[in-house]
Amino acid sequence: MDTPLSPPLAEPARATPTGYFALTRTATYSFLAALPLFVLYEVLILLVNNGSLSQIRVGADVWIKRVLASMGAGGMLALGLVVIAIGVAIFMLERKKQIPIKPKYFGWMIGESLVYGVVLAFIISSVVGWLFFMAPMVTSPLFFASQALDQVGLPTKLALSIGAGLYEELVFRVILVGGMFWGLKRVMKGRSTTAAYVIAAVVGALIFSWVHYTGSLGDPFTLSSFSFRFLFGLALNALYLLRGFGVAAWTHALYDVLVVTNLL
């Protein structure tokens, strides 16, 4: 049975996955690969907020934190315990498969994600530029970057970029797209599971794009930037399907970091 961090359309796993691509699609590798993003984000966000837990945070994280905060002061720290608990549960479930932990694979995952982030950014920006008849000089990925982040400093931009990779992928890929796929597959009994995932992926990408225009750090709406984020969301859905949560999260985070540091 797939865990939430595993791609929803992944083929049934063998007792003991072998090889780089098979191992790095597992929930074990997804969880371990995501842990550095979690630690980096929480440390950076505390530093840029001067220790306050109620200032600037990435949108998806704010939704989660608001739920936890409603439980009282201790609720703000509960997310870390939840992450650890999920990790322990994953290890317990997948230990039976005797999945080998190969440290070098995590470096390869980051390198693979970096390639995806750069390639997808330029392909999608070029497609959107062609669709909207934009001059080539204004269709670089930087043209579609969040304008609202211009009002904050580089450390905050880096923190939000890393947080987006972790929390937005958790909310939009694992919970939203994975959850819709799970529900549609049961409603559409007897039909292709691919159709259920396509519907979930498209709806999820539309919502993913739309939320970038809400909240205090939301951007002014333009059809071109909405289209860019929609297509980028679809691409991340495909990565989650084919390569798992860990690679999707790192691809998203590294893309955002490259954009805010003007390296794309």
Side-chain angles (χ1 to χ4, degrees):
M1 178 181 294
D2 291 333
T3 64
L5 297 184
S6 302
L9 287 186
E11 296 178 358
R14 292 173 292 178
T16 305
T18 58
Y20 169 73
F21 288 101
L23 285 171
T24 52
R25 286 178 68 183
T26 63
T28 293
Y29 274 78
S30 286
F31 172 75
L32 292 177
L35 273 181
L37 293 174
F38 173 79
V39 173
L40 280 172
Y41 172 65
E42 291 297 335
V43 170
L44 284 173
I45 211 68
L46 284 175
L47 291 176
V48 300
N49 284 336
N50 296 317
S52 171
L53 290 172
S54 60
Q55 296 180 24
I56 297 176
R57 282 184 174 272
V58 71
D61 174 37
V62 171
W63 303 337
I64 297 171
K65 284 293 198 294
R66 282 176 180 170
V67 174
L68 296 174
S70 66
M71 298 185 298
M76 298 300 286
L77 301 177
L79 184 60
L81 297 177
V82 170
V83 171
I84 297 301
I86 292 174
V88 171
I90 289 171
F91 272 101
M92 291 178 66
L93 288 171
E94 294 203 335
R95 281 304 84 196
K96 296 179 180 179
K97 301 177 185 178
Q98 298 180 335
I99 294 175
I101 304 299
K102 300 186 178 183
K104 65 180 180 181
Y105 282 2
F106 295 102
W108 294 3
M109 289 174 73
I110 295 173
E112 181 186 356
S113 300
L114 179 61
V115 172
Y116 292 148
V118 173
V119 171
L120 287 175
F122 281 104
I123 290 177
I124 295 171
S125 61
S126 297
V127 169
V128 173
W130 176 79
L131 288 174
F132 290 89
F133 305 102
M134 294 178 174
M137 66 187 67
V138 299
T139 56
S140 74
L142 284 173
F143 181 77
F144 302 103
S146 176
Q147 300 175 23
L149 287 182
D150 292 339
Q151 60 189 276
V152 299
L154 181 60
T156 302
K157 291 179 181 178
L158 290 174
L160 294 176
S161 298
I162 293 169
L166 176 64
Y167 286 104
E168 290 188 6
E169 292 310 296
L170 178 63
V171 169
F172 294 107
R173 245 53 67 186
V174 178
I175 297 176
L176 180 61
V177 175
M180 280 194 294
F181 168 76
W182 181 86
L184 287 169
K185 189 169 66 172
R186 280 150 182 77
V187 172
M188 301 167 62
K189 292 181 179 179
R191 299 184 182 180
S192 170
T193 56
T194 301
Y197 187 80
V198 168
I199 294 172
V202 171
V203 174
L206 287 170
I207 296 174
F208 168 76
S209 183
W210 172 73
V211 298
H212 286 83
Y213 305 95
T214 63
S216 60
L217 289 179
D219 284 336
F221 179 85
T222 65
L223 189 56
S224 60
S225 64
F226 180 89
S227 300
F228 177 88
R229 286 167 173 146
F230 168 71
L231 292 175
F232 194 66
L234 281 181
L236 289 171
N237 287 338
L239 277 181
Y240 171 57
L241 165 67
L242 298 172
R243 297 295 295 118
F245 171 73
V247 170
W250 272 99
T251 298
H252 191 163
L254 289 173
Y255 161 77
D256 281 1
V257 168
L258 290 173
V259 167
V260 300
T261 54
N262 296 323
L263 292 177
L264 272 182

